[in-house]
Protein backbone atom coordinates (compact mmCIF):
# COMPACT_ATOMS: atom_id res chain seq x y z
CA UNK A 1 0.00 0.00 0.00
CA UNK A 2 1.20 3.48 -0.86
CA UNK A 3 0.69 6.01 1.93
CA UNK A 4 0.57 9.72 1.16
CA UNK A 5 0.89 12.03 4.15
CA UNK A 6 -1.33 15.03 3.40
CA UNK A 7 -1.57 16.36 6.95
CA UNK A 8 0.03 14.94 10.08
CA UNK A 9 -0.15 17.58 12.79
CA UNK A 10 -2.35 18.39 15.75
CA UNK A 11 -2.80 21.96 14.57
CA UNK A 12 -2.74 24.22 11.55
CA UNK A 13 -0.19 26.84 10.37
CA UNK A 14 1.29 27.53 6.91
CA UNK A 15 3.81 24.77 7.79
CA UNK A 16 1.51 22.35 9.60
CA UNK A 17 -1.66 20.61 8.42
CA UNK A 18 -4.28 18.72 10.39
CA UNK A 19 -4.72 14.96 9.99
CA UNK A 20 -5.33 13.53 6.53
CA UNK A 21 -3.71 10.53 4.86
CA UNK A 22 -4.35 8.75 1.55
CA UNK A 23 -3.79 5.10 0.61
CA UNK A 24 -3.17 4.23 -3.05
CA UNK A 25 -4.72 7.60 -4.05
CA UNK A 26 -8.18 6.10 -3.43
CA UNK A 27 -8.90 5.90 0.28
CA UNK A 28 -8.47 8.86 2.62
CA UNK A 29 -8.10 8.51 6.38
CA UNK A 30 -9.52 11.63 8.02
CA UNK A 31 -10.13 14.90 6.24
CA UNK A 32 -8.21 17.55 8.16
CA UNK A 33 -6.38 18.83 5.07
CA UNK A 34 -7.72 17.02 2.00
CA UNK A 35 -8.22 20.26 0.08
CA UNK A 36 -5.39 22.38 1.51
CA UNK A 37 -2.96 19.53 0.76
CA UNK A 38 -4.21 17.86 -2.45
CA UNK A 39 -4.72 19.27 -5.92
CA UNK A 40 -8.11 18.95 -7.60
CA UNK A 41 -7.17 15.86 -9.59
CA UNK A 42 -6.11 13.95 -6.45
CA UNK A 43 -9.20 15.20 -4.59
CA UNK A 44 -11.39 13.84 -7.38
CA UNK A 45 -9.61 10.46 -7.47
CA UNK A 46 -10.64 9.68 -3.89
CA UNK A 47 -13.38 7.10 -3.57
CA UNK A 48 -13.93 7.20 0.19
CA UNK A 49 -12.90 8.96 3.40
CA UNK A 50 -12.69 7.07 6.70
CA UNK A 51 -13.59 9.49 9.49
CA UNK A 52 -12.13 8.51 12.88
CA UNK A 53 -14.24 11.00 14.85
CA UNK A 54 -16.09 14.26 14.46
CA UNK A 55 -13.56 16.73 15.86
CA UNK A 56 -13.03 19.62 13.49
CA UNK A 57 -9.34 18.96 12.85
CA UNK A 58 -10.36 15.60 11.29
CA UNK A 59 -13.43 16.68 9.33
CA UNK A 60 -12.88 20.30 8.31
CA UNK A 61 -11.92 19.68 4.67
CA UNK A 62 -14.96 17.46 4.10
CA UNK A 63 -16.71 20.80 3.58
CA UNK A 64 -14.37 22.05 0.89
CA UNK A 65 -13.77 18.71 -0.83
CA UNK A 66 -17.53 18.23 -1.17
CA UNK A 67 -17.84 21.67 -2.73
CA UNK A 68 -14.89 21.10 -5.09
CA UNK A 69 -16.12 17.67 -6.16
CA UNK A 70 -19.59 19.03 -6.85
CA UNK A 71 -18.08 21.69 -9.18
CA UNK A 72 -15.66 19.20 -10.77
CA UNK A 73 -18.35 16.59 -11.48
CA UNK A 74 -16.66 13.74 -9.58
CA UNK A 75 -18.27 10.46 -8.52
CA UNK A 76 -20.03 10.39 -5.14
CA UNK A 77 -17.53 10.35 -2.26
CA UNK A 78 -18.22 7.77 0.44
CA UNK A 79 -17.95 9.24 3.93
CA UNK A 80 -17.40 6.27 6.23
CA UNK A 81 -17.64 6.28 10.03
CA UNK A 82 -19.51 4.94 13.02
CA UNK A 83 -23.15 5.87 13.62
CA UNK A 84 -22.08 8.37 16.30
CA UNK A 85 -19.61 10.14 14.01
CA UNK A 86 -21.93 10.27 11.01
CA UNK A 87 -24.73 11.57 13.23
CA UNK A 88 -22.61 14.56 14.25
CA UNK A 89 -21.73 15.24 10.60
CA UNK A 90 -25.39 15.18 9.59
CA UNK A 91 -26.70 17.26 12.49
CA UNK A 92 -23.91 19.76 13.03
CA UNK A 93 -21.84 20.06 9.85
CA UNK A 94 -23.65 19.20 6.60
CA UNK A 95 -26.86 20.45 8.16
CA UNK A 96 -27.95 23.13 5.71
CA UNK A 97 -26.80 25.87 8.08
CA UNK A 98 -23.08 25.51 8.72
CA UNK A 99 -22.72 23.97 5.25
CA UNK A 100 -25.12 22.53 2.67
CA UNK A 101 -26.33 18.93 2.80
CA UNK A 102 -24.21 17.48 0.00
CA UNK A 103 -26.13 14.19 0.07
CA UNK A 104 -28.77 16.11 -1.91
CA UNK A 105 -26.48 18.13 -4.22
CA UNK A 106 -26.82 18.21 -7.15
CA UNK A 107 -29.66 15.70 -6.60
CA UNK A 108 -30.48 12.99 -4.06
CA UNK A 109 -30.11 10.35 -6.79
CA UNK A 110 -26.72 11.67 -7.85
CA UNK A 111 -25.21 13.08 -4.66
CA UNK A 112 -21.76 14.53 -3.99
CA UNK A 113 -21.33 12.53 -0.79
CA UNK A 114 -22.88 9.35 0.57
CA UNK A 115 -22.65 8.10 4.15
CA UNK A 116 -21.62 4.55 4.95
CA UNK A 117 -21.88 3.18 8.49
CA UNK A 118 -18.99 1.25 9.97
CA UNK A 119 -19.86 -0.96 12.95
CA UNK A 120 -17.00 -1.42 15.42
CA UNK A 121 -14.97 -4.57 14.72
CA UNK A 122 -16.98 -5.56 11.66
CA UNK A 123 -14.86 -5.67 8.52
CA UNK A 124 -16.33 -4.12 5.40
CA UNK A 125 -14.99 -3.46 1.91
CA UNK A 126 -14.34 0.18 1.05
CA UNK A 127 -12.64 1.38 -2.14
CA UNK A 128 -10.94 -2.00 -2.64
CA UNK A 129 -9.67 -2.27 0.95
CA UNK A 130 -10.90 -4.21 3.97
CA UNK A 131 -11.66 -1.81 6.82
CA UNK A 132 -12.34 -2.37 10.51
CA UNK A 133 -13.00 0.23 13.20
CA UNK A 134 -11.76 -0.34 16.75
CA UNK A 135 -12.98 1.98 19.48
CA UNK A 136 -10.24 3.96 21.25
CA UNK A 137 -10.15 6.34 24.22
CA UNK A 138 -10.73 10.04 23.44
CA UNK A 139 -13.22 12.71 24.61
CA UNK A 140 -15.91 11.73 22.06
CA UNK A 141 -16.66 8.49 20.15
CA UNK A 142 -13.46 7.79 18.25
CA UNK A 143 -12.13 4.84 16.26
CA UNK A 144 -8.85 3.46 15.15
CA UNK A 145 -8.85 1.79 11.74
CA UNK A 146 -7.23 -1.40 10.54
CA UNK A 147 -7.03 -1.39 6.77
CA UNK A 148 -6.05 -4.48 4.82
CA UNK A 149 -5.25 -5.38 1.24
CA UNK A 150 -3.93 -8.70 -0.10
CA UNK A 151 -3.37 -10.11 3.39
CA UNK A 152 -1.28 -7.18 4.69
CA UNK A 153 -2.64 -4.48 6.97
CA UNK A 154 -1.85 -1.04 8.31
CA UNK A 155 -3.41 0.56 11.37
CA UNK A 156 -4.29 4.16 12.25
CA UNK A 157 -4.85 5.01 15.90
CA UNK A 158 -7.20 7.99 15.65
CA UNK A 159 -6.99 10.48 18.52
CA UNK A 160 -6.50 8.55 21.73
CA UNK A 161 -4.91 8.47 25.12
CA UNK A 162 -4.01 5.18 26.79
CA UNK A 163 -6.28 2.46 25.40
CA UNK A 164 -6.54 -1.35 25.51
CA UNK A 165 -8.73 -2.98 22.89
CA UNK A 166 -6.69 -1.70 19.94
CA UNK A 167 -3.60 -3.57 21.14
CA UNK A 168 -5.50 -6.82 21.65
CA UNK A 169 -6.73 -6.67 18.06
CA UNK A 170 -3.35 -5.63 16.64
CA UNK A 171 -1.68 -8.55 18.43
CA UNK A 172 -3.91 -10.86 16.35
CA UNK A 173 -2.92 -9.31 13.02
CA UNK A 174 -0.87 -11.67 10.84
CA UNK A 175 0.98 -9.17 8.63
CA UNK A 176 0.78 -5.71 10.21
CA UNK A 177 3.06 -3.47 8.16
CA UNK A 178 2.82 -0.20 10.12
CA UNK A 179 0.90 1.74 12.73
CA UNK A 180 0.13 5.43 12.35
CA UNK A 181 0.06 6.52 15.99
CA UNK A 182 -0.96 9.72 17.64
CA UNK A 183 1.17 11.67 20.09
CA UNK A 184 0.15 15.26 20.78
CA UNK A 185 1.72 16.92 23.82
CA UNK A 186 5.09 16.86 25.64
CA UNK A 187 5.39 15.20 29.04
CA UNK A 188 5.20 18.60 30.77
CA UNK A 189 1.65 19.00 29.42
CA UNK A 190 0.39 15.69 30.85
CA UNK A 191 -2.58 17.27 32.56
CA UNK A 192 -3.99 18.79 29.35
CA UNK A 193 -3.14 15.62 27.41
CA UNK A 194 -5.06 13.47 29.88
CA UNK A 195 -8.09 15.78 30.00
CA UNK A 196 -8.21 16.04 26.18
CA UNK A 197 -7.68 12.31 25.54
CA UNK A 198 -4.24 12.43 23.92
CA UNK A 199 -0.83 10.87 24.36
CA UNK A 200 2.45 12.30 25.58
CA UNK A 201 5.70 10.38 25.00
CA UNK A 202 5.54 9.05 28.57
CA UNK A 203 2.06 7.53 28.08
CA UNK A 204 2.87 6.38 24.55
CA UNK A 205 5.66 4.05 25.73
CA UNK A 206 3.57 1.82 28.05
CA UNK A 207 0.70 1.79 25.52
CA UNK A 208 2.97 0.61 22.68
CA UNK A 209 4.39 -2.03 25.05
CA UNK A 210 0.92 -3.65 25.03
CA UNK A 211 1.84 -4.76 21.51
CA UNK A 212 3.86 -7.96 21.67
CA UNK A 213 6.75 -6.90 19.42
CA UNK A 214 6.85 -3.09 19.44
CA UNK A 215 10.46 -3.06 18.23
CA UNK A 216 9.33 -4.80 15.02
CA UNK A 217 6.35 -2.52 14.34
CA UNK A 218 7.13 0.58 12.26
CA UNK A 219 5.29 3.20 14.29
CA UNK A 220 4.69 6.44 12.41
CA UNK A 221 3.88 9.30 14.74
CA UNK A 222 1.45 12.08 13.87
CA UNK A 223 -0.82 14.71 15.57
CA UNK A 224 1.98 16.58 17.38
CA UNK A 225 0.82 20.09 18.31
CA UNK A 226 2.80 22.65 16.26
CA UNK A 227 3.89 24.61 19.34
CA UNK A 228 5.45 21.46 20.81
CA UNK A 229 6.88 19.80 17.68
CA UNK A 230 10.56 20.02 18.65
CA UNK A 231 10.19 19.00 22.29
CA UNK A 232 7.85 16.06 21.54
CA UNK A 233 10.26 14.78 18.86
CA UNK A 234 13.13 15.04 21.35
CA UNK A 235 11.22 13.17 24.05
CA UNK A 236 10.12 10.44 21.60
CA UNK A 237 13.73 9.97 20.44
CA UNK A 238 14.62 8.95 24.00
CA UNK A 239 12.06 6.12 24.15
CA UNK A 240 13.75 2.73 24.06
CA UNK A 241 12.61 -0.58 22.57
CA UNK A 242 10.33 0.95 19.95
CA UNK A 243 10.48 1.53 16.20
CA UNK A 244 9.40 5.17 15.94
CA UNK A 245 9.56 7.76 13.22
CA UNK A 246 7.78 11.09 12.94
CA UNK A 247 5.76 11.70 9.78
CA UNK A 248 6.27 14.85 7.71
CA UNK A 249 4.06 16.63 5.21
CA UNK A 250 4.43 15.21 1.73
CA UNK A 251 5.92 11.88 2.86
CA UNK A 252 5.09 8.99 0.54
CA UNK A 253 5.74 5.55 1.98
CA UNK A 254 5.34 2.06 0.59
CA UNK A 255 3.92 -0.08 3.39
ZN1 LIG B 1 -9.99 14.64 18.59
ZN1 LIG C 1 -7.27 15.61 16.45
Amino acid sequence: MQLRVVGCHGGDTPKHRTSAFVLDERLAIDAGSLTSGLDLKLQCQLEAVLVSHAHLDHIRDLATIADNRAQYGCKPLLVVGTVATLDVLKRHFFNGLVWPDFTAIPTKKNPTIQYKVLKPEVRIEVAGFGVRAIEVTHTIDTCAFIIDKKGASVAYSGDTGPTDRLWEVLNEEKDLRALLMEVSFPNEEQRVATSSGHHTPQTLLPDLMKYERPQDLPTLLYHIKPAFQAVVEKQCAKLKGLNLSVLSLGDQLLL
Side-chain angles (χ1 to χ4, degrees):
M1 286 176 261
Q2 175 84 24
L3 173 75
R4 178 190 287 273
V5 178
V6 185
C8 56
H9 301 109
D12 188 54
T13 80
K15 290 181 179 167
H16 302 81
R17 289 194 210 119
T18 49
S19 305
F21 304 87
V22 176
L23 288 174
D24 293 346
E25 313 296 14
R26 297 170 72 179
L27 179 66
I29 310 168
D30 279 334
S33 49
L34 287 180
T35 55
S36 58
L38 291 178
D39 63 28
L40 272 177
K41 185 164 168 270
L42 289 173
Q43 289 176 37
C44 200
Q45 277 179 24
L46 294 177
E47 296 177 25
V49 183
L50 307 178
V51 183
S52 65
H53 66 305
H55 276 158
L56 200 57
D57 58 316
H58 298 255
I59 64 168
R60 48 190 273 178
D61 280 12
L62 286 177
T64 40
I65 199 170
D67 195 24
N68 285 345
R69 288 175 65 112
Q71 316 307 325
Y72 210 65
C74 313
K75 286 192 303 185
L77 178 69
L78 274 186
V79 175
V80 185
T82 60
V83 168
T85 297
L86 297 186
D87 191 49
V88 177
L89 288 177
K90 290 173 195 172
R91 288 202 293 153
H92 301 294
F93 196 76
F94 291 111
N95 62 359
L97 292 169
V98 172
W99 205 240
D101 175 7
F102 275 92
T103 64
I105 295 173
T107 65
K108 279 190 174 169
K109 276 194 173 165
N110 178 33
T112 303
I113 66 168
Q114 287 175 317
Y115 296 114
K116 190 171 178 72
V117 172
L118 194 50
K119 289 185 188 150
E121 308 203 17
V122 177
R123 183 182 178 278
I124 62 169
E125 296 265 341
V126 178
F129 297 84
V131 175
R132 273 169 297 160
I134 312 294
E135 289 171 316
V136 290
T137 309
H138 194 40
T139 52
I140 61 170
D141 285 280
T142 302
C143 286
F145 296 115
I146 301 174
I147 301 156
D148 65 85
K149 196 176 193 181
K150 295 180 183 163
S153 56
V154 298
Y156 173 79
S157 70
D159 286 9
T160 186
T163 196
D164 288 314
R165 181 62 185 152
L166 175 62
W167 307 109
E168 293 171 7
V169 178
L170 292 183
N171 277 324
E172 300 295 314
E173 284 298 292
K174 298 279 179 290
D175 188 8
L176 182 62
R177 298 285 173 90
L179 166 67
L180 283 74
M181 184 69 209
E182 93 113 275
V183 61
S184 298
F185 292 98
N187 296 333
E188 293 75 14
E189 301 291 327
Q190 189 60 56
R191 195 206 289 249
V192 66
T194 300
S195 65
S196 60
H198 288 294
H199 271 299
T200 61
Q202 69 190 356
T203 61
L204 181 65
L205 177 66
D207 232 29
L208 278 168
M209 289 296 179
K210 296 172 189 169
Y211 186 71
E212 283 164 5
R213 300 170 312 281
Q215 69 279 12
D216 297 333
L217 177 63
T219 303
L220 314 172
L221 300 176
Y222 74 97
H223 209 279
I224 299 172
K225 297 286 178 184
F228 300 123
Q229 184 85 28
V231 60
V232 172
E233 287 193 22
K234 211 168 161 185
Q235 291 175 355
C236 286
K238 289 183 181 156
L239 301 177
K240 299 278 183 261
L242 303 176
N243 184 348
L244 301 180
S245 52
V246 178
L247 290 173
S248 302
L249 295 185
D251 279 354
Q252 293 196 55
L253 302 158
L254 195 60
L255 304 175

